[in-house]
Amino acid sequence: MSNQQPYGGPQQPPYQGPPQQWGTPQYPPQQPQYSQQPQYQQQYPPPQYGGQPYPPQQHAFGWGPGGPQQPPKKKSKAWLIVLPLVLLVGVAGLWIAGVVAKQHRHSNYADPQPTYSATTEPTDSATTEPTEEPTTGQSTQPKPTKTSPPPPRRATPYEIVSRNKFYRTGLQPGIGCRESKARATSIANANKYYLVVKGCSDRGWPRQVRAGGWAFQVPTTIVMSAHVSSPCSGNAPTSFYCGANRTIYMAGFADTQRYPQYRGAQNQALLRAGMAFTVAHEYAHHVQKLTGILDASQSLGYETGTTAGEWEQSRRLELQASCLAGIFLAANKSTYPFTGLMKSGLDYWTNHSGDENDPTGERIHGTMRNHGYWFHRGYNTRNIAACNTFLAPNSQVS
């Protein structure tokens, strides 16, 4: 049966090498740091070479028509001419010496040139951005990195099976489910009977599953005409639920074989009650899957490391499924209806199902006495809280 940006904004790219000093850049920077290239101007005006290196010569003598004239001899006044010429040549020499000295100063590479250190780039005060943020009086200590709050603590498997919010969802209301008129004369007719109970369960369980904080999903149903394989087992001779694919497998071939043997109204009522109870029981396993109880119970069994521990958890799970089946059938007993022979057949079926009838000797479903006890506990109360088999003493889940 069963990712943040660092505080303070983006950082400037690291220094890429010595700065260019003159002329065209040798390589483009990765990211421009200046809005324009720094302009370098010569600190000295260019040499002034305009004009003659000497003042214009004046003709001392003129040649008139007919060739040179012989002047009359006069008293020599040569010193009056030589002296001004000497003075004029001296002044010109001083002027030329000044020009040469001035040119020499401009072409002498030993004179100081503008230099820059290896770690300091020339900057343009009008366009260069500050490399550090201005101090505002705040602490220079690095701001603490924001951390996400730790995720909420997850419930343990034991907490899921024993303290599940699902247990606090109260009474289950009826949804007016009515019995199918189909009988198990064939696989197809048996399927029609199962699908009515399954459809009623699809409408009866969502409210309490969701009220317990879990998402609801309807299961798949497969009616077997022979033994089949599933993700949960090999060939299955009886009805079961597989949590791996959330599918209910109904042993239609077994009920169609019983039908001709169950003659008479009483036996026919017993067969129909058994078919309805089986669908309700396997659907309860699906509810356990949706609420986390099925997986948590199996985890607890594995954690014991013993066969006895696994079997105990299986019995608690199976007995709870019968209790939940009793709640669903009781919620709809006025319309199904479970009265007279149908109620007698239901009581007989649930009181005589247990490990005593298991030929393998496995103790995984509970005794017939405990099976009847938990089914009627759910049927008589219709309250989910009555089905917490995981808090029950060992004597009630043996």
Side-chain angles (χ1 to χ4, degrees):
M1 293 181 189
S2 90
N3 312 322
Q4 301 180 345
Q5 293 288 335
Y7 287 97
Q11 301 295 323
Q12 295 291 337
Y15 176 67
Q16 301 292 331
Q20 60 190 24
Q21 296 185 1
W22 305 95
T24 305
Q26 297 178 0
Y27 50 84
Q30 297 298 322
Q31 294 184 359
Q33 297 186 4
Y34 305 97
S35 61
Q36 62 183 4
Q37 292 293 335
Q39 301 295 323
Y40 302 101
Q41 299 180 354
Q42 296 183 0
Q43 298 179 0
Y44 307 98
Q48 299 180 2
Y49 293 107
Q52 299 294 329
Y54 300 96
Q57 296 286 339
Q58 294 183 1
H59 298 283
F61 303 94
W63 298 85
Q69 301 290 325
Q70 184 69 31
K73 291 185 179 181
K74 295 182 180 180
K75 185 177 180 178
S76 176
K77 295 182 181 180
W79 63 271
L80 295 176
I81 298 175
V82 172
L83 180 60
L85 287 176
V86 171
L87 293 176
L88 182 61
V89 171
V91 171
L94 292 175
W95 180 81
I96 293 172
V99 172
V100 172
K102 191 174 184 180
Q103 172 61 23
H104 180 71
R105 287 198 304 271
H106 282 284
S107 60
N108 188 355
Y109 291 99
D111 289 344
Q113 299 292 329
T115 58
Y116 308 96
S117 63
T119 58
T120 303
E121 296 186 5
T123 59
D124 188 338
S125 60
T127 59
T128 304
E129 298 181 358
T131 58
E132 297 183 359
E133 294 186 354
T135 303
T136 58
Q138 298 179 353
S139 173
T140 58
Q141 295 296 327
K143 297 181 181 179
T145 303
K146 290 184 179 180
T147 57
S148 300
R153 185 184 70 85
R154 299 181 62 180
T156 65
Y158 178 75
E159 290 172 335
I160 293 175
V161 300
S162 63
R163 303 175 188 175
N164 204 303
K165 187 179 176 182
F166 173 67
Y167 296 132
R168 302 196 296 271
T169 58
L171 300 177
Q172 183 173 100
I175 45 88
C177 186
R178 296 184 180 276
E179 184 185 17
S180 171
K181 296 185 180 300
R183 299 296 180 258
T185 57
S186 65
I187 294 294
N189 287 336
N191 186 33
K192 291 179 182 179
Y193 195 94
Y194 302 144
L195 287 180
V196 169
V197 182
K198 190 263 184 184
C200 292
S201 300
D202 289 343
R203 294 184 287 120
W205 280 112
R207 185 190 70 84
Q208 285 178 292
V209 170
R210 290 167 179 156
W214 305 89
F216 183 81
Q217 177 186 2
V218 298
T220 302
T221 302
I222 294 178
V223 178
M224 299 179 290
S225 58
H227 294 182
V228 299
S229 296
S230 76
C232 296
S233 66
N235 292 337
T238 60
S239 300
F240 66 98
Y241 173 78
C242 179
N245 59 359
R246 302 189 178 191
T247 299
I248 296 172
Y249 292 82
M250 292 299 300
F253 63 90
D255 288 330
T256 56
Q257 290 173 358
R258 292 190 186 104
Y259 181 79
Q261 302 171 8
Y262 280 59
R263 298 176 181 177
Q266 183 175 0
N267 288 335
Q268 283 293 309
L270 176 63
L271 178 59
R272 287 156 44 213
M275 293 171 70
F277 167 75
T278 302
V279 175
H281 176 94
E282 303 305 339
Y283 203 104
H285 281 312
H286 179 62
V287 172
Q288 290 173 323
K289 174 68 175 179
L290 296 178
T291 56
I293 295 174
L294 189 150
D295 293 340
S297 174
Q298 292 177 343
S299 296
L300 289 174
Y302 296 148
E303 288 174 2
T304 65
T306 64
T307 299
E310 292 182 7
W311 284 3
E312 178 187 339
Q313 289 300 316
S314 178
R315 291 195 300 270
R316 292 181 184 274
L317 196 69
E318 293 291 344
L319 293 172
Q320 184 181 78
S322 290
C323 183
L324 296 175
I327 289 178
F328 168 76
L329 296 176
N332 297 280
K333 64 181 179 181
S334 61
T335 56
Y336 200 81
F338 286 105
T339 59
L341 293 178
M342 282 287 288
K343 178 62 166 65
S344 297
L346 186 61
D347 291 342
Y348 181 88
W349 188 277
T350 55
N351 288 330
H352 291 81
S353 297
D355 288 333
E356 294 90 339
N357 299 323
D358 190 343
T360 66
E362 293 181 337
R363 308 286 295 173
I364 60 176
H365 289 87
T367 63
M368 291 187 290
R369 180 180 65 84
N370 283 333
H371 196 264
Y373 167 79
W374 284 103
F375 171 80
H376 288 98
R377 183 179 172 91
Y379 189 91
N380 294 331
T381 64
R382 292 173 51 190
N383 194 325
I384 305 299
C387 296
N388 193 344
T389 57
F390 293 92
L391 292 181
N394 291 336
S395 58
Q396 291 182 344
V397 293
S398 61

